[in-house]
Amino acid sequence: MSCSVLDEEQFRLSCQLLLQRSDQLGDGWSWEAVQGSEEGYLRKTALRSVPSDWGPLHDQKGFSSHPQPQTLCDSTGHEKEEQDPAASTGSDFLRAEEEDAGSYTVTNSSSLVLQYEYHILFSCSYGAPVLYFRAFTLEGRSLALEEMWSTIHPNYRLCLQNCPLNAISQQEHPLLGQPFFFFHPCRTEEFMGPVLQAAPDQGRPVNYVLSWLSVVGPVVGLDVPLQYCTALHSTKPD
Amino acid sequence: MADDKDVLRDVWFGRIPTCFTLNPDEVTEREAEAYYLLLPRVSYLPVVTDKVKKHFLKVMRAEDVEEMWFEYEGTPLKWHYPIGVLFDLHASNTVLPWNITVHFKNFPDQDLLHCLSNSIVEAHFMSSIKEADALKHKSQVVNDMQKKDHKQLWMGLQNDKFDQFWAMNRKLMEYPTEDGGFRYIPFRIYQTLSDRPFIQKLFRPVSPDCNVHTLGDLLKEMYPDALTNDGEQKRYQVLIHGIEPLLETPLQWLSEHLSHPDNFLHICVVPVPTD
């Protein structure tokens, strides 16, 4: 039986393994338990620097930007009109030189610093982990959806915009009740399936959550160091 | 059964008389009168409150108007919950009309999702339908539908067209006879006593030894505090569409007949009023 669907117990085990590696590597993940139960989620915060020419992050007070900004908002800080990010493909979204449809050149080095918070929860409906995240300016203002799109590398953005279901949208955090952004989990089986199928042939154990995270994490600035996998091998019990 | 179809209609056409009042701190050019409206239990606030917005915008200047949001007795109302759920959770057992305060400033972005167009509501609605079908049918039925079929579900809800909606929704309510019901029941149990917004877990309508699960069985497993033990006084009401179904009701039947249009059974557990 090909099973690219995860159950809650497997999710918890995978998380605990990931957590052990994270502790060894100093990668900053923690397990937040729901009071009085085994339920919980992985959590991590990180500062992230986003090139300001990836898109129109609102130039209101509250953004830290380095000198010589080449920001895209108009200099009065006037908010850009509401756009549907999924429909927008054009030049008003991407400003730097494009060599061809699939690539992107960053032309200057100014950047904005944001504070990210990442949560990994389990979706029992889809039998998959789900990434919830939110971002704040250093002054504590939370990012809107349109601004969030601007923090995603334009190459990823092109792929996501072709996804029929809004791949990234605002959602209520199922345990905390607060607004977060999240990656819709309905396509997880599509990319995890091949990974799980190939694993037995290669004789390597697969940590579902780790493999999944290495696919979705980088899209929103969450890198998963390769050392996670080397640690997996070196401490593997006989 | 003819009776069962009546239930579907009664659920669809449930209404809550509501009085919308402008937050007194909003800046107006003249006094704003309250606006009365019958809200459909099964719909969502952004879909049915265009008239409310227009009414209050008449007395305000454009520069004083930002994203509209609603609040009841200090609690921001989550527009992505069906209206009936919001009422049952926050205002059941209060005197009608339901008094909602309208705001155009200071959007509470730590409590509420933004909703700048109806396409956001549509996306949420369709997302719930897809999640419900993932639970009921491993997504097979919803994935077999065409885009226009999905659109029909949304348009049926948006335009309050029962027949248009159910022509498509009935497919989502079918199951192989030999299974005795859906794979899992899509449900959410809401309460206001803790921070956790809702309880949602896997639960089968029929046990492996073919026992039909009831509403009481679900609560016993998911939220035992909601149940009253023998000899105890009743502390909580378990509300679905504003009524307290018998705990012996089969869960499968509830899922087929008392689900919201998003195909979820939304269950509110509220303290019994002490009056």
Side-chain angles (χ1 to χ4, degrees):
Chain A
M1 171 189 76
S2 138
C3 190
S4 47
V5 159
L6 200 62
D7 72 38
E8 191 150 10
E9 188 54 38
Q10 290 166 331
F11 170 76
R12 275 199 286 269
L13 277 165
S14 300
C15 286
Q16 291 310 316
L17 282 174
L18 194 158
L19 204 53
Q20 281 171 24
R21 307 300 175 241
S22 170
D23 287 342
Q24 287 167 357
L25 298 169
D27 198 32
W29 286 99
S30 64
W31 176 258
E32 305 295 317
V34 171
Q35 205 181 33
S37 85
E38 285 187 322
E39 258 187 288
Y41 57 96
L42 284 173
R43 180 180 181 271
K44 177 177 170 177
T45 57
L47 285 178
R48 188 187 165 209
S49 183
V50 177
S52 64
D53 57 357
W54 276 7
L57 284 163
H58 293 197
D59 187 15
Q60 295 165 10
K61 63 173 196 272
F63 267 94
S64 309
S65 58
H66 294 238
Q68 330 102 38
Q70 196 175 333
T71 55
L72 303 168
C73 303
D74 90 46
S75 50
T76 64
H78 200 75
E79 271 194 27
K80 261 181 96 73
E81 265 179 67
E82 222 268 309
Q83 288 174 11
D84 176 6
S88 160
T89 52
S91 54
D92 54 359
F93 223 79
L94 309 172
R95 287 299 176 88
E97 312 288 307
E98 277 187 57
E99 287 168 2
D100 56 58
S103 75
Y104 193 89
T105 318
V106 174
T107 55
N108 70 25
S109 60
S110 77
S111 58
L112 300 156
V113 179
L114 302 168
Q115 166 123 53
Y116 273 75
E117 190 178 343
Y118 303 100
H119 293 197
I120 301 177
L121 275 74
F122 180 68
S123 163
C124 59
S125 307
Y126 290 103
V130 190
L131 184 63
Y132 286 81
F133 59 100
R134 56 185 177 182
F136 299 88
T137 65
L138 292 182
E139 280 72 16
R141 185 176 74 78
S142 61
L143 253 59
L145 181 61
E146 191 189 289
E147 293 168 304
M148 184 58 74
W149 277 103
S150 306
T151 68
I152 292 173
H153 192 288
N155 290 350
Y156 285 125
R157 222 185 288 165
L158 289 169
C159 296
L160 290 173
Q161 282 163 5
N162 289 331
C163 175
L165 194 68
N166 295 344
I168 296 182
S169 57
Q170 239 200 345
Q171 263 286 347
E172 179 184 29
H173 191 292
L175 297 173
L176 302 178
Q178 293 175 335
F180 272 71
F181 296 108
F182 95 139
F183 261 108
H184 206 284
C186 64
R187 308 289 287 268
T188 304
E189 226 182 311
E190 275 178 42
F191 63 81
M192 285 306 293
V195 172
L196 292 166
Q197 276 170 19
D201 299 336
Q202 293 167 7
R204 275 188 279 151
V206 173
N207 181 318
Y208 193 114
V209 175
L210 185 62
S211 299
W212 162 84
L213 188 63
S214 67
V215 173
V216 300
V219 179
V220 290
L222 181 60
D223 288 321
V224 183
L226 281 174
Q227 288 96 319
Y228 269 97
C229 284
T230 51
L232 193 73
H233 286 297
S234 63
T235 60
K236 187 176 178 231
D238 54 49
Chain B
M1 281 199 286
D3 283 338
D4 281 1
K5 280 217 110 176
D6 288 342
V7 171
L8 299 181
R9 279 191 180 271
D10 288 342
V11 164
W12 182 271
F13 290 106
R15 296 287 186 265
I16 298 171
T18 308
C19 172
F20 289 92
T21 313
L22 189 63
N23 168 35
D25 293 341
E26 303 291 326
V27 178
T28 58
E29 296 185 319
R30 52 187 185 283
E31 187 159 344
E33 284 180 12
Y35 191 84
Y36 291 83
L37 197 55
L38 280 175
L39 297 179
R41 274 183 161 275
V42 299
S43 191
Y44 301 88
L45 284 169
V47 176
V48 297
T49 51
D50 273 345
K51 289 184 181 164
V52 176
K53 192 171 181 181
K54 287 196 174 93
H55 170 81
F56 289 116
L57 289 187
K58 282 190 292 199
V59 303
M60 298 180 74
R61 293 174 309 172
E63 56 261 37
D64 295 322
V65 173
E66 290 168 6
E67 188 177 351
M68 182 170 66
W69 57 280
F70 303 102
E71 161 248 312
Y72 174 71
E73 298 203 333
T75 304
L77 294 177
K78 296 183 179 180
W79 64 261
H80 65 286
Y81 287 8
I83 291 168
V85 175
L86 292 170
F87 179 80
D88 291 342
L89 198 56
H90 298 300
S92 61
N93 302 309
T94 64
V95 172
L96 294 172
W98 187 19
N99 283 303
I100 292 183
T101 307
V102 184
H103 293 254
F104 289 97
K105 279 223 170 291
N106 299 317
F107 189 89
D109 65 6
Q110 295 311 299
D111 297 304
L112 297 183
L113 306 179
H114 284 282
C115 183
L116 292 162
S117 79
N118 269 8
S119 61
I120 303 280
V121 188
E122 181 181 0
H124 265 277
F125 177 70
M126 290 313 303
S127 182
S128 291
I129 287 196
K130 287 177 186 181
E131 186 180 352
D133 204 55
L135 288 164
K136 290 199 274 187
H137 303 117
K138 292 203 217 182
S139 303
Q140 277 158 13
V141 176
V142 80
N143 286 346
D144 276 350
M145 285 181 174
Q146 295 177 344
K147 204 154 181 197
K148 67 175 173 69
D149 299 334
H150 293 170
K151 206 65 178 176
Q152 186 171 333
L153 290 166
W154 166 247
M155 297 304 288
L157 176 71
Q158 189 184 39
N159 300 328
D160 195 21
K161 297 269 189 267
F162 174 85
D163 292 314
Q164 183 187 18
F165 176 80
W166 271 98
M168 208 43 67
N169 199 50
R170 63 178 183 79
K171 298 185 192 173
L172 296 168
M173 292 300 178
E174 288 168 354
Y175 57 88
T177 329
E178 61 271 19
D179 289 354
F182 303 135
R183 185 157 184 256
Y184 297 106
I185 299 289
F187 72 90
R188 287 189 178 168
I189 301 173
Y190 302 85
Q191 45 77 46
T192 51
L193 302 170
S194 79
D195 282 342
R196 186 180 186 152
F198 54 80
I199 296 165
Q200 181 184 340
K201 300 204 184 132
L202 296 179
F203 195 79
R204 292 192 190 274
V206 181
S207 74
D209 38 346
C210 296
N211 287 324
V212 166
H213 284 142
T214 64
L215 177 59
D217 292 330
L218 177 72
L219 291 168
K220 202 161 156 202
E221 179 72 28
M222 302 296 166
Y223 197 165
D225 280 353
L227 299 170
T228 318
N229 298 320
D230 290 335
E232 271 182 10
Q233 224 186 8
K234 187 174 170 200
R235 285 170 301 150
Y236 297 106
Q237 285 179 309
V238 176
L239 299 172
I240 306 179
H241 293 290
I243 60 162
E244 286 189 82
L246 294 174
L247 295 177
E248 293 81 16
T249 316
L251 202 57
Q252 176 67 29
W253 186 92
L254 285 172
S255 183
E256 287 175 54
H257 297 87
L258 256 62
S259 286
H260 276 260
D262 66 359
N263 278 234
F264 269 82
L265 205 52
H266 296 281
I267 302 167
C268 294
V269 177
V270 298
V272 160
T274 50
D275 46 22

